[in-house]
Amino acid sequence: MSPERVVVTGGAGFLGSHVCEALLAGGAQVVCVDDFRTGSRGNVPDGVGVVTADVSRPLDLLGPVDLILHLACPASPADYLRMPVDTLRAGGFGTYHVLELARRKGARVVVASTSEVYGDPEEHPQRESYWGHVNPIGPRSVYDEAKRFGEAMTTAFRAEHGVDAGIVRIFNTYGPRMRAHDGRMIPTFLRQALAGEPLTVHGDGLQTRSLCYVDDLVRGLLAMARSGHPGPINLGNPTEVTVLDVARKTIEVTGSSSVVRHVESMTDDPRRRRPDISLAREVLHWQPTVPLEEGLRSFARTFAG
Ligand SMILES: NC(=O)c1ccc[n+]([C@@H]2O[C@H](COP(=O)([O-])OP(=O)(O)OC[C@H]3O[C@@H](n4cnc5c(N)ncnc54)[C@H](O)[C@@H]3O)[C@@H](O)[C@H]2O)c1
């Protein structure tokens, strides 16, 4: 039997490149579809086929496809605020074209959604049954609403075309290959700590985050791919920490002499974020295992500043 052929859209990005690596290690034949707008060729592991394409345009690939992991979309606020229309296109049209590909190939497809579909949540922790609290015209809406549209499209393809599609709602994930300047909290703190600069905390820093190490997340994503479950299923680390705590832990693990500096709060910045992962535990037998200090240490070791 020929090995399973898996397409990873966004395979040149942070999460996608780790997914490609794990799939290769499991013996799959892997194809990365990416237009490199926020990812890089250097992230794609050797042995992975590369197709340069913008997923927001019609997509076709030669040969059979057994599984698609759809991760292509700008994900960091700095990226999606720089390209708001393209972010809506990737999350909206891109998800449509990927689902079309899955329909034509008869492939299972897992669509990466996000905890941002919950917006600034009024329910805590967030269960999959919560509908969210999103400002449709706020600065984050290009990302949040594109992902919400993507979820609706995925659900429609299951209902109308019988596509074996599943949705995962990914919560903040960090680890090697995040870009030092991508604007997300952990690489920003690491960069500042390693340079001996003040760590910039927005507002009072008492807003919370739940941070999942990339290896844990990839395990969950692949379990979802194998499960045949429609989702949505939350994937994230349920340990809640304040942003201030994350800053202090970063200073500690890097042995930095940096201090914390409070700066202006960000518009529509969620106050609290914590996944309820009961469903992932039950259906995927999955839960994160890497504590924050350990994950920060691993990331710091490979961090290129
Ligand atoms: N990292 C997280 O904490 C997190 C949290 C929730 C959801 N997600 C989702 O996971 C996915 C991957 O996120 P990431 O953190 O690895 O981001 P990333 O920016 O590192 O990777 C995204 C990849 O998609 C590619 N891409 C973007 N738009 C494209 C397009 N139109 N056509 C083809 N390729 C395109 C980029 O070039 C890049 O390689 C995204 O869908 C994101 O919404 C990530």
Side-chain angles (χ1 to χ4, degrees):
M1 243 173 67
S2 55
E4 183 189 36
R5 191 157 182 254
V6 185
V7 170
V8 181
T9 76
F14 158 52
L15 286 183
S17 61
H18 287 273
V19 169
C20 287
E21 222 166 59
L23 287 163
L24 271 187
Q29 199 188 326
V30 186
V31 179
C32 155
V33 177
D34 205 296
D35 68 359
F36 305 102
R37 68 180 62 218
T38 63
S40 69
R41 272 182 189 271
N43 281 345
V44 183
D46 288 344
V48 170
V50 174
V51 173
T52 305
D54 175 352
V55 292
S56 62
R57 299 181 182 281
L59 191 62
D60 204 6
L61 293 177
L62 292 176
V65 176
D66 305 295
L67 171 67
I68 306 175
L69 295 157
H70 176 41
L71 297 161
C73 185
S76 123
D79 290 332
Y80 62 69
L81 294 176
R82 186 164 49 84
M83 38 188 164
V85 173
D86 273 0
T87 299
L88 279 160
R89 287 174 55 85
F93 302 154
T95 303
Y96 167 77
H97 292 307
V98 167
L99 287 162
E100 260 299 317
L101 182 69
R103 183 181 69 78
R104 288 197 306 276
K105 302 286 186 185
R108 162 115 172 121
V109 55
V110 174
V111 173
S113 183
T114 167
S115 56
E116 300 287 335
V117 299
Y118 300 124
D120 190 5
E122 294 153 307
E123 180 178 304
H124 195 77
Q126 293 82 53
R127 280 173 302 178
E128 290 85 352
S129 54
Y130 178 51
W131 291 355
H133 182 222
V134 174
N135 174 358
I137 54 162
R140 289 168 171 263
S141 67
V142 293
Y143 183 66
D144 304 3
E145 297 292 15
K147 291 288 183 177
R148 289 170 70 93
F149 178 87
E151 288 200 11
M153 186 62 84
T154 306
T155 308
F157 262 73
R158 264 192 92 85
E160 191 170 331
H161 300 305
V163 171
D164 179 11
I167 299 165
V168 284
R169 292 186 180 147
I170 302 171
F171 284 63
N172 285 2
T173 303
Y174 69 97
R177 297 199 201 116
M178 286 180 104
R179 286 166 294 140
H181 289 272
D182 89 352
R184 290 186 269 193
M185 176 176 65
I186 301 249
T188 305
F189 283 171
L190 269 180
R191 178 169 52 78
Q192 293 169 328
L194 291 170
E197 292 167 4
L199 274 66
T200 44
V201 166
H202 292 271
D204 58 12
L206 298 180
Q207 64 274 34
T208 65
R209 295 294 180 265
S210 301
L211 300 160
C212 189
Y213 190 63
V214 63
D215 292 355
D216 280 333
L217 198 282
V218 170
R219 228 175 3 91
L221 203 54
L222 296 184
M224 177 63 173
R226 307 289 171 232
S227 71
H229 197 279
I233 294 188
N234 288 337
L235 289 182
N237 193 321
T239 309
E240 196 176 355
V241 280
T242 67
V243 167
L244 207 50
D245 262 346
V246 179
R248 288 182 182 137
K249 280 192 167 69
T250 309
I251 290 172
E252 197 184 301
V253 305
T254 53
S256 169
S257 54
S258 294
V259 294
V260 166
R261 190 171 81 210
H262 291 269
V263 295
E264 214 180 321
S265 306
M266 284 189 292
T267 315
D268 292 341
D269 194 24
R271 285 298 298 171
R272 303 190 74 183
R273 233 347 123 59
R274 175 152 76 97
D276 180 321
I277 59 163
S278 312
L279 190 60
R281 280 199 172 103
E282 183 193 319
V283 173
L284 309 177
H285 311 292
W286 175 87
Q287 63 181 6
T289 60
V290 181
L292 182 59
E293 289 82 354
E294 195 183 316
L296 281 175
R297 270 198 193 93
S298 303
F299 189 8
R301 271 197 292 274
T302 62
F303 194 74

